[in-house]
């Protein structure tokens, strides 16, 4: 065995201590030894050796650990992954080198969609998520540079906000109609042969090809029964987004060849044109292309040719008028209000401090994404509405007139106004907008509890 190969083998030993654990000397058997064999390697490429380098697998472990997630079919949790790898990594590495590693089936889970219905996820085991992550890191580094600049989903350095901004630029340039295409059950209907053909053009290591094919056909478990998978890339694994970008790269190339203005985020693709007639022509032509070349179908009920402000793109839409601005889509606002109503129900038996703490978790995440909009008046109205919900909650908690009078009085409301408000026959929502309650529970009170503002910082 040459010096270079020995060095490679030594580097393949998994970390002595996983991140976040004690740096003391590990117990016997805790450290994973390097493989002690000469791996079977294709003559043209040693890609698997890149996948299992110590640096790459350490990074993969850290990502899987930070992402957390549910157990797969074997029940193993993320917290148990480090111990499992320390004990079994040498055997797993050997199987990866020899091309004999077999993934376990994914666990099928249905989650509700924001607009109704359910979305099916395929949850791989924690070990398979770890291997997929390691594989994805190497492949993405190689493939991403060839992907289209019009593709923004699941790519390093790219975001949904950039995609929405690019769409706005097209609209400002005079492309006043959008071809909003929804690919029907995209992740469930990806053709394995077409996908593997695209991968084979870029990967010559047969072990990598065999491993990816194994992940595609590993099957799904539902209700204790395993069903085979002959098509699709189940959502839920680290590798799926990269494979979806690869197969839709052919669509990007075709749209670029036809000189279309388009933005794609995963399977969400919008094409911008200058007339409704052109839009319908483009829709028909691209539907034919998807059907013939990629074996995918357009969902006709969810796709449309329309004005951009009539459609939703990644949760956003656009304003009418001369100065086009990015706004939060109406459906997004409705979903937001539905969630806030659940968190601020008046019958919840918790304190205002507990309620605000729960709101903080949701509002900070929501603001981090939708605060990107260019219509702050919407955020201002939502801030006011949330505070009114909280005032209603407190008024309901105070229950009786005597308690309400005392609470208003100790907050500086003069006796006559406090008595008048406490004795009102109006319900909590009506009272929540009264002068007395606004003075007793000012905006500064909710800010002092930690309630974040959607508008501004």
């Amino acid at each position: 065995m040459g010096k270079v190969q020995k060095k490679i083998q030594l580097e393949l030993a998994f970390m002595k201590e996983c991140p976040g654990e004690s740096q003391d000397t590990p117990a016997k058997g805790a450290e994973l030894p390097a493989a002690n064999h000469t791996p079977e390697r294709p003559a043209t490429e040693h890609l698997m050796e890149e996948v299992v380098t110590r640096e790459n697998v350490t990074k993969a472990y850290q990502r899987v650990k930070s992402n957390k997630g549910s157990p797969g079919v074997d029940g193993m949790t993320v917290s148990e992954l480090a111990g499992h790898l320390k004990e079994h990594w040498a055997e797993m590495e050997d199987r990866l080198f020899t091309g004999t590693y077999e993934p376990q089936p994914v666990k099928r889970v249905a989650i509700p969609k924001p607009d109704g219905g359910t979305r099916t996820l395929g949850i791989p085991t924690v070990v398979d998520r770890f291997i997929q992550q390691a594989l994805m890191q190497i492949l993405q580094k190689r493939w991403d540079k060839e992907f289209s600049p019009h593709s923004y989903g699941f790519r390093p350095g790219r975001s949904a906000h950039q995609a929405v901004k690019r769409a706005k630029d097209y609209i400002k340039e005079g492309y006043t109609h959008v071809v909003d295409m929804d690919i029907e059950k995209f992740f469930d209907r990806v053709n394995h042969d077409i996908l593997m053909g695209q991968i084979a053009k870029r990967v010559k290591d047969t072990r990598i090809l065999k491993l990816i094919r194994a992940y595609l056909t590993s099957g799904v478990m539902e209700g204790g029964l395993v069903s085979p998978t002959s098509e699709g890339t189940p959502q839920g694994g680290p590798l799926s987004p990269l494979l979806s970008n690869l197969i839709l790269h052919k669509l990007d190339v075709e749209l670029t060849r036809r000189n279309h203005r388009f933005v794609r985020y995963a399977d969400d693709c919008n094409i911008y044109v200058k007339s409704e007639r052109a839009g319908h022509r483009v829709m028909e032509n691209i539907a034919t292309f998807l059907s013939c070349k990629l074996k995918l179908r357009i969902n006709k009920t969810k796709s449309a040719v329309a004005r951009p402000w009539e459609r939703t793109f990644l949760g956003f839409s656009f304003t009418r008028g001369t100065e086009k601005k990015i706004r939060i889509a109406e459906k997004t606002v409705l979903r937001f209000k539905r969630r806030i109503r659940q968190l601020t129900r008046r019958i919840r038996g918790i304190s205002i401090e507990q309620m605000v703490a729960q709101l903080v978790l949701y509002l900070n995440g929501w603001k981090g994404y939708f605060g990107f909009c260019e219509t702050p008046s919407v955020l201002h109205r939502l801030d006011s509405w949330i505070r009114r919900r909280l005032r209603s909650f407190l008024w309901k908690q105070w229950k009786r007139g005597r308690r309400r009078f005392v609470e208003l009085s100790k907050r500086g409301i003069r006796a006559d106004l406090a008595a008048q408000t406490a004795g009102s026959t109006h319900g909590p929502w009506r009272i929540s907008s009264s002068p007395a309650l606004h003075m007793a529970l000012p905006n500064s009170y909710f800010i002092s509890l930690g309630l974040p503002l959607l508008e501004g910082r």
Side-chain angles (χ1 to χ4, degrees):
M1 184 182 292
K3 291 183 178 180
V4 173
Q5 189 165 332
K6 286 182 179 179
K7 183 178 180 182
I8 292 175
Q9 289 298 307
L10 289 172
E11 288 179 347
L12 296 179
F14 200 76
M15 54 271 205
K16 293 181 180 180
E17 290 292 335
C18 293
E21 296 187 355
S22 170
Q23 296 301 311
D24 296 337
T25 303
K28 184 178 180 180
E31 182 178 352
L32 298 181
N36 56 2
H37 66 281
T38 303
E40 297 178 8
R41 299 176 179 176
T44 56
E45 191 176 39
H46 298 163
L47 192 57
M48 185 63 80
E49 280 69 21
E50 292 185 43
V51 171
V52 297
T53 59
R54 178 174 177 173
E55 178 184 3
N56 190 54
V57 296
T58 300
K59 182 180 176 182
Y61 169 79
Q62 291 169 341
R63 178 56 61 91
V64 171
K65 184 179 178 181
S66 65
N67 287 344
K68 300 179 181 179
S70 304
V73 296
D74 61 354
M76 183 187 298
T77 64
V78 172
S79 62
E80 297 172 310
L81 177 60
H84 180 86
L85 291 175
K86 288 175 183 176
E87 184 176 352
H88 299 285
W89 175 242
E91 178 187 352
M92 291 167 53
E93 183 187 56
D94 183 80
R95 291 181 178 177
L96 290 169
F97 273 139
T98 58
T100 58
Y101 180 84
E102 295 184 4
Q104 295 191 64
V106 299
K107 182 170 69 175
R108 178 168 285 172
V109 177
I111 61 172
K113 289 183 178 180
D115 297 326
T118 58
R119 174 182 287 110
T120 301
L121 297 183
I123 308 299
T125 64
V126 174
V127 171
D128 282 325
R129 293 209 294 272
F130 162 72
I131 294 176
Q132 282 193 35
Q133 180 67 34
L135 180 58
M136 185 277 292
Q137 288 167 179
I138 297 300
L139 295 180
Q140 185 173 62
K141 190 163 50 178
R142 288 180 164 221
W143 296 351
D144 191 76
K145 56 190 175 185
E146 71 178 87
F147 288 162
S148 168
H150 303 280
S151 168
Y152 292 88
F154 309 113
R155 297 181 61 190
R158 289 177 165 260
S159 68
H161 289 170
Q162 292 173 341
V164 175
K165 175 65 168 57
R166 191 69 189 95
K168 173 192 166 184
D169 292 341
Y170 286 138
I171 299 167
K172 291 178 67 175
E173 290 169 11
Y175 294 88
T176 56
H177 290 74
V178 60
V179 182
D180 186 358
M181 295 193 309
D182 182 274
I183 301 177
E184 189 172 62
K185 296 183 179 179
F186 169 72
F187 286 95
D188 296 332
R189 291 183 174 169
V190 169
N191 184 283
H192 288 176
D193 292 333
I194 293 175
L195 176 57
M196 290 305 302
Q198 291 298 306
I199 298 172
K201 291 179 181 179
R202 297 162 173 82
V203 174
K204 303 306 177 187
D205 190 327
T206 55
R207 298 166 301 177
I208 297 291
L209 296 174
K210 186 176 180 181
L211 180 60
I212 295 175
R213 173 72 81 167
Y215 274 121
L216 293 174
T217 59
S218 61
V220 296
M221 178 177 286
E222 189 173 21
L225 299 175
V226 177
S227 304
T229 47
S230 58
E231 61 179 3
T233 58
Q235 296 182 76
L239 195 56
S240 183
L242 178 63
L243 297 183
S244 69
N245 270 335
L246 179 62
I247 197 164
L248 288 176
H249 177 61
K250 292 190 71 172
L251 172 62
D252 297 340
V253 170
E254 180 65 15
L255 291 173
T256 301
R257 187 186 70 81
R258 298 185 185 202
N259 199 32
H260 287 311
R261 277 68 177 171
F262 71 98
V263 181
R264 184 176 65 78
Y265 191 95
D267 60 327
D268 198 344
C269 184
N270 279 5
I271 306 169
Y272 293 87
V273 296
K274 291 190 173 182
S275 70
E276 184 178 357
R277 182 178 179 183
H280 286 294
R281 184 176 65 250
V282 169
M283 176 77 81
E284 182 179 352
N285 291 339
I286 298 304
T288 301
F289 172 83
L290 287 171
S291 176
C292 295
K293 300 297 183 181
L294 299 180
K295 308 301 181 186
L296 297 170
R297 293 200 301 265
I298 294 292
N299 186 326
K300 295 183 178 179
T301 60
K302 294 184 178 180
S303 302
V305 177
R307 297 287 194 173
W309 47 85
E310 296 172 349
R311 305 296 293 179
T312 298
F313 182 50
L314 302 177
F316 294 95
S317 191
F318 305 92
T319 59
R320 301 170 182 260
T322 306
E323 187 180 1
K324 300 297 184 291
K325 292 183 179 180
I326 299 168
R327 65 177 178 87
I328 303 173
E330 293 178 5
K331 289 183 179 180
T332 301
V333 173
L334 291 175
R335 287 197 298 268
F336 173 82
K337 286 190 169 184
R338 185 162 58 243
R339 179 58 179 154
I340 295 299
R341 287 190 181 98
Q342 292 172 348
L343 292 173
T344 59
R345 292 194 309 273
R346 298 171 204 156
I347 59 173
R348 297 190 70 192
I350 60 176
S351 67
I352 186 66
E353 290 80 9
Q354 290 174 311
M355 180 172 285
V356 169
Q358 292 175 7
L359 283 170
V360 166
L361 296 175
Y362 178 70
L363 292 176
N364 281 338
W366 193 90
K367 178 184 177 179
Y369 184 77
F370 291 105
F372 174 72
C373 76
E374 299 171 335
T375 52
S377 60
V378 176
L379 301 178
H380 178 76
R381 288 195 297 271
L382 289 175
D383 277 330
S384 299
W385 179 76
I386 292 169
R387 290 191 293 266
R388 189 174 177 186
R389 293 279 307 177
L390 294 175
R391 291 185 183 106
S392 295
F393 170 76
L394 283 170
W395 189 252
K396 181 74 173 179
Q397 271 201 337
W398 294 343
K399 292 184 179 179
R400 301 185 183 280
R402 179 61 184 170
R403 167 79 183 279
R404 289 169 174 173
F405 175 80
V406 170
E407 293 289 349
L408 291 174
S409 297
K410 74 180 184 181
R411 286 170 170 79
I413 306 303
R414 66 179 192 271
D416 60 332
L417 181 57
Q420 178 185 352
T421 306
S424 174
T425 58
H426 294 305
W429 184 247
R430 177 77 174 269
I431 292 295
S432 65
S433 62
S434 67
L437 220 56
H438 268 271
M439 289 187 288
L441 302 171
N443 297 350
S444 58
Y445 167 72
F446 297 109
I447 292 174
S448 70
L449 294 177
L451 183 71
L453 292 175
L454 299 177
E455 182 190 13
R457 297 186 180 276

